[in-house]
Amino acid sequence: MTFEVFMQQLANGISIGSLYALLAIGYTMVYGILRLINFAHGDIFMMSAYFMVFGMVTFGLPWYVSAAIVIVAAVALGVLIEKAAYKSLRDAPRMSIMISAIGVSFLLENLATYLFTGVPKGFPDIEILTRAISFGNVSLSVATVVTPVVTIILLFVVLFITNKTKIGMAMRAVSKDFETARLMGININRVISTTFVIGSALAAVGAILWGSKYPSVIPLMGVMPGLKCFIAAVLGGIGNTTGAVLGGFILGMSEIMLVSFLPSLTGYRDAIAFIILIIVLIVKPTGLLGEKVTDKV
């Protein structure tokens, strides 16, 4: 492998890891507050890609207008899911909430199949992201370079919100002790809705960047990225925002480097995520940055 090819693959690994990280933040924030794995998160990502297709292709809107509409639509969808599927189950057993999350995921996938058919749609060309730039003999798309930067910026925004704002303080209180926070007068519904707003917005940004690299939109496109982002969140320490980003980068790099150095194992690219999950659960179940907690009984 030449140095140029290695750098190309390294950039690709960082880029795909950044996309995993964006989705993983949404997973880990919802889990940190509700102790719920929001399986519908990957489908919000999928619906965002469809919204972008219709905004630019069907209605002919500029990409930046479509992007703004997509983020708003994804946020509205995320809040709607929370209100319809999770709010009434606040005090229900966790298994009931998990079944509801799985049901919402299947509902969105089948609804997308019914409305948009299973025929792949081409993601619109956002010229500013698909344009190629060269660093010596290494040629990369703008999206590959921009994605990690966007991810790091959004990570700092999320950390600022959770650590420096009043709603962030409420989020941290709810994640520590749900019932005590409620008794102390914190508006639980507002905190949870805000969490879904942030997570859904990140999923929409991820969908736009993902479509620029992989321009094919199908109803099941959110399934595998969703699972991998969940694994990234577990790897970094689910409930830890920084850990989710770290896990996303590690997972993306592992995938790309496996294909680069062992091309005969290309068909097992998706399997490596689950191998990593198994190893993490055996060696360090709390993840790389996760903390061991004890439940009071």
Side-chain angles (χ1 to χ4, degrees):
M1 179 184 293
T2 64
F3 176 75
E4 289 78 11
V5 173
F6 174 77
M7 293 304 296
Q8 181 91 42
Q9 297 301 333
L10 179 65
N12 289 334
I14 294 174
S15 180
I16 190 68
S18 303
L19 293 172
Y20 290 157
L22 277 177
L23 287 178
I25 292 174
Y27 270 109
T28 204
M29 288 187 69
V30 172
Y31 181 85
I33 291 180
L34 287 180
R35 294 294 184 265
L36 161 70
I37 303 300
N38 181 22
F39 289 104
H41 193 64
D43 299 297
I44 294 175
F45 162 84
M46 174 269 294
M47 293 297 289
S48 298
Y50 273 109
F51 294 155
M52 195 70 180
V53 170
F54 285 106
M56 290 188 65
V57 177
T58 305
F59 297 103
L61 299 174
W63 72 267
Y64 46 87
V65 176
S66 295
I69 294 174
V70 166
I71 293 172
V72 172
V75 166
L77 179 61
V79 173
L80 176 63
I81 290 172
E82 188 275 321
K83 298 296 184 186
Y86 304 145
K87 185 177 180 180
S88 60
L89 298 175
R90 288 276 193 271
D91 301 314
R94 291 183 186 176
M95 184 59 67
S96 299
I97 305 176
M98 181 175 293
I99 292 172
S100 180
I102 295 172
V104 171
S105 177
F106 281 120
L107 172 64
L108 290 176
E109 290 166 12
N110 285 276
L111 181 64
T113 302
Y114 175 76
L115 294 176
F116 313 132
T117 75
V119 179
K121 294 185 180 296
F123 194 85
D125 179 37
I126 304 176
E127 187 177 353
I128 193 174
L129 293 177
T130 56
R131 183 185 307 147
I133 54 177
S134 298
F135 299 93
N137 294 326
V138 179
S139 180
L140 304 171
S141 68
V142 173
T144 301
V145 178
V146 166
T147 301
V149 177
V150 171
T151 299
I152 296 301
I153 291 173
L154 291 177
L155 169 63
F156 280 109
V157 170
V158 171
L159 290 176
F160 176 81
I161 292 173
T162 54
N163 294 324
K164 302 295 183 180
T165 65
K166 192 172 182 179
I167 188 66
M169 185 184 298
M171 287 179 181
R172 286 183 283 122
V174 173
S175 68
K176 286 291 184 182
D177 194 320
F178 191 93
E179 291 301 328
T180 301
R182 176 186 282 171
L183 292 173
M184 293 297 291
I186 293 176
N187 189 332
I188 298 295
N189 291 329
R190 179 168 173 254
V191 170
I192 294 173
S193 294
T194 302
T195 304
F196 273 83
V197 165
I198 296 173
S200 299
L202 293 176
V205 174
I208 295 168
L209 294 171
W210 183 284
S212 299
K213 289 179 64 66
Y214 307 102
S216 179
V217 182
I218 58 174
L220 298 180
M221 67 175 287
V223 175
M224 190 54 67
L227 288 174
K228 289 181 180 179
C229 295
F230 165 63
I231 293 171
V234 174
L235 173 60
I238 194 160
N240 187 305
T241 305
T242 306
V245 174
L246 177 62
F249 277 110
I250 293 175
L251 187 59
M253 291 293 297
S254 301
E255 279 189 12
I256 297 299
M257 289 306 166
L258 174 73
V259 175
S260 301
F261 289 100
L262 299 171
S264 60
L265 298 180
T266 300
Y268 298 94
R269 174 176 172 175
D270 291 334
I272 190 173
F274 299 97
I275 294 172
I276 291 174
L277 175 63
I278 293 170
I279 294 173
V280 169
L281 292 177
I282 292 174
V283 177
K284 199 174 189 301
T286 56
L288 298 176
L289 301 183
E291 297 180 358
K292 187 175 181 180
V293 295
T294 56
D295 291 331
K296 295 181 180 180
V297 296

